[in-house]
Amino acid sequence: MSQISSRRVYAFLAVGCAVLVAPLSGCVALLGAGAGAGGATYVASGGLSDYQAYYPVSLGQASAASRAVLGEMHISYTGNLHKKENEEAIYGKTTDGTKVSVNLQSPSAKVTKVEMGVGLMGNKVLSQQFFRLLSQRLGVHATVKPPVFHN
């Protein structure tokens, strides 16, 4: 085997191994990064295309409303986790068994960032429905940037 063809074989093996190992190492997020960059967040006509939004409410209000909305969407509650005093994660499953997570982070007493994840790659339609219902339940509009409060 010549030196050039052996390099090609090794290069092919290296690429093949990287492709096989990527899903196991969490690098799937890198594959979705390009798609996420193209799907920039927008708020128009009450729709959010991204999977996160800010609400001018407390963590407790956002948490209670999120759990109610998940129930309304027939997503069964499987548990929650208080990561820190100002962070909470709510877990559920869709009727087809897909895992759902709602992460809440409150940078202040009056603002909560809500992120929704569905399965490994997300579900835009389900996420948009969640954020629309959450805004209705809270009676406030979501924003893509933290709201500014003046004292």
Side-chain angles (χ1 to χ4, degrees), residues 25-126:
S25 64
C27 292
V28 172
L30 293 176
L31 297 174
T41 304
Y42 75 94
V43 179
S45 305
L48 291 169
S49 69
D50 205 358
Y51 303 104
Q52 68 180 25
Y54 289 89
Y55 290 91
V57 298
S58 70
L59 178 66
Q61 290 172 298
S63 175
S66 295
R67 287 179 70 173
V69 167
L70 290 176
E72 197 175 321
M73 294 175 64
H74 305 290
I75 296 173
S76 60
Y77 172 79
T78 59
N80 71 326
L81 175 65
H82 288 276
K83 298 176 181 184
K84 295 180 184 174
E85 186 176 319
N86 66 336
E87 291 183 29
E88 181 181 357
I90 301 169
Y91 302 104
K93 282 190 179 179
T94 62
T95 53
D96 69 357
T98 304
K99 292 181 181 180
V100 173
S101 65
V102 176
N103 295 305
L104 306 153
Q105 187 177 40
S106 187
S108 77
K110 297 180 181 178
V111 176
T112 303
K113 178 182 177 183
V114 180
E115 294 178 288
M116 182 183 193
V118 180
L120 291 175
M121 301 304 281
N123 182 319
K124 183 177 178 179
V125 173
L126 200 62

